[in-house]
């Protein structure tokens, strides 16, 4: 496991009283309002945190802030989403106060085709933050679901705006199940939470703090060195490789993660398929 560096700033605290819906402009993670004249934090991620009450989706709020020139690393959190978004057009449901729901504004100089790598990067960061706080070691199910005992603990959504092929901004959304003691019937067999896994309450503020620290760590590595270091760490933490899967129209054994983040699936005829998007399902009888 890669351990996080010691915190060098006061932790972010979730709002004590219900936050107002809408863009509230809270300064979190120890950052001070600029008018106080304090030196700017070295850390970009979470220097500005908009900790909100109820929103449609933190993705939508972060996108509006990004369109209004919010700096890279701006974070939006919410107690509850009325219309949380998941991958593949699915919805992401939560009950107030039970999940860590956050979106981060990124402005990487990458091509549109590379955006999924940021979601893989985020999966590594979420796994590390959870491990540091709880001792659990979530596995990564391709591409970026965090699972424990085959149940989903967290999901990640990377939404990009592009200008031709170049990315102008990415909103990286992460939802982590924290305090749920039960799930709706249709999810109960497939979902889990930190409370269920540890038997105790986990502090969402501390989790956010650890997550932003690891996210910024890997993001800086990504900008400097590309995807290769993240590839290695993702492979170390994945539960997908070696499994018999159905993905992107291919059925076979997941044998590797390609240099760009595509899943490599080898079928019964020993042909290798590159799967660039979609879900991984366990193959029948696999
Ligand atoms: C998935 O596994 O399908 C991705 C789920 C992503 C959910 C998070 S919660 C915070 C952010 N806001 C959203 O509407 N979605 C993401």
């Amino acid at each position: 496991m890669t351990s996080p560096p010691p915190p060098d700033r006061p932790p972010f605290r979730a709002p004590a009283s219900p936050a107002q819906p809408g863009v509230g402009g809270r300064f979190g993670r120890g950052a001070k309002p600029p008018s106080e004249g304090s030196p700017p934090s070295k850390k970009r991620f979470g220097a500005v945190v908009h900790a909100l009450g109820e929103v449609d989706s933190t993705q939508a709020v972060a996108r509006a802030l990004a369109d209004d020139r919010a700096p890279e690393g701006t974070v939006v959190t919410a107690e509850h989403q009325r219309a949380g978004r998941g991958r593949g057009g699915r919805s992401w449901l939560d009950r107030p106060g039970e999940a860590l729901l956050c979106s981060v504004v990124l402005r990487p100089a990458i091509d549109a085709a590379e955006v999924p790598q940021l979601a893989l990067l985020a999966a590594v960061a979420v796994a590390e933050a959870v491990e540091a706080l709880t001792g659990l070691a979530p596995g990564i199910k391709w591409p970026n679901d965090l699972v424990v005992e085959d149940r989903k603990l967290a999901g990640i959504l990377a939404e990009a705006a592009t200008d031709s092929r170049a990315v102008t901004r990415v909103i990286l959304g992460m939802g982590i199940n924290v305090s749920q003691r039960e799930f709706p019937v249709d999810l109960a067999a497939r979902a889990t939470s930190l409370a269920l896994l540890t038997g105790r309450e986990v502090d969402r503020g501390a989790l956010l703090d650890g997550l932003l620290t690891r996210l910024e760590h890997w993001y800086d590595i990504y900008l400097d060195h590309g995807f290769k270091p993240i590839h290695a760490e993702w492979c170390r933490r994945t539960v997908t490789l070696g499994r018999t899967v159905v993905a992107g129209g291919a059925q076979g054994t997941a044998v590797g993660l390609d240099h760009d983040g595509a899943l490599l699936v080898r079928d019964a005829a020993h042909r290798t398929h590159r799967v660039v998007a979609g879900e991984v399902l366990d193959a029948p009888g696999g």
Side-chain angles (χ1 to χ4, degrees):
M1 157 198 163
T2 315
S3 58
D8 59 359
R9 57 197 152 199
F12 164 75
R13 300 255 172 261
S17 56
Q20 299 304 308
V23 178
R26 242 167 225 279
F27 287 86
R29 302 200 90 208
K32 299 242 171 44
S35 58
E36 290 184 19
S38 54
S41 164
K42 287 197 303 262
K43 299 286 179 183
R44 288 137 39 239
F45 285 31
V48 179
V49 177
H50 297 262
L52 307 178
E54 189 177 310
V55 297
D56 280 344
S57 162
T58 56
Q59 292 292 97
V61 177
R63 188 176 61 202
L65 289 166
D67 289 348
D68 206 18
R69 293 195 290 277
E72 182 163 75
T74 296
V75 173
V76 178
T77 67
E79 292 293 300
H80 172 56
Q81 297 183 131
R82 288 180 294 261
R85 299 206 287 262
R87 294 194 308 121
R90 289 184 292 272
S91 44
W92 179 267
L93 304 175
D94 70 275
R95 286 200 304 224
E98 289 191 337
L100 176 59
L101 309 165
C102 75
S103 298
V104 182
V105 175
L106 302 178
R107 300 186 185 283
I110 60 175
D111 276 357
E114 295 168 313
V115 170
Q117 296 174 357
L118 293 171
L120 301 176
L121 179 160
V124 169
V126 172
E128 288 181 338
V130 167
E131 184 166 348
L133 202 58
T134 66
L136 296 166
I140 304 174
K141 182 175 172 186
W142 187 87
N144 44 239
D145 283 349
L146 277 295
V147 295
V148 178
E149 294 158 7
D150 254 351
R151 290 168 191 248
K152 184 156 165 171
L153 176 68
I156 292 159
L157 176 68
E159 295 180 310
T162 53
D163 181 359
S164 175
R165 269 179 43 211
V167 165
T168 53
R169 52 116 178 109
V170 176
I171 308 299
L172 194 55
M174 290 151 287
I176 306 177
N177 297 329
V178 177
S179 306
Q180 295 92 335
R181 297 280 173 174
E182 57 184 17
F183 286 92
V185 179
D186 53 325
L187 290 181
R190 293 181 285 127
T192 193
S193 72
L194 295 178
L196 287 171
L197 291 164
T198 62
R200 65 178 173 87
E201 279 306 312
V202 170
D203 183 74
R204 283 181 299 151
L207 183 58
L208 177 64
D209 231 34
L211 170 57
L212 294 177
T213 299
R214 298 316 292 162
L215 201 59
E216 185 165 356
H217 167 84
W218 285 112
Y219 185 66
D220 285 344
I221 288 175
Y222 179 70
L223 295 183
D224 288 347
H225 304 286
F227 184 60
K228 204 170 173 187
I230 290 107
H231 179 284
E233 191 57 26
W234 187 97
C235 286
R236 214 173 66 72
R237 290 183 175 269
T238 187
V239 293
T240 298
L241 301 186
R243 296 238 311 229
T244 309
V245 299
V246 179
Q251 176 163 341
T253 307
V255 290
L257 187 73
D258 215 348
H259 63 94
D260 58 354
L263 185 67
L264 299 174
V265 177
R266 186 166 302 147
D267 67 18
H270 298 284
R271 281 186 306 253
T272 301
H273 304 257
R274 267 174 52 83
V275 183
V276 295
E279 303 294 318
V280 162
L281 303 172
D282 286 321

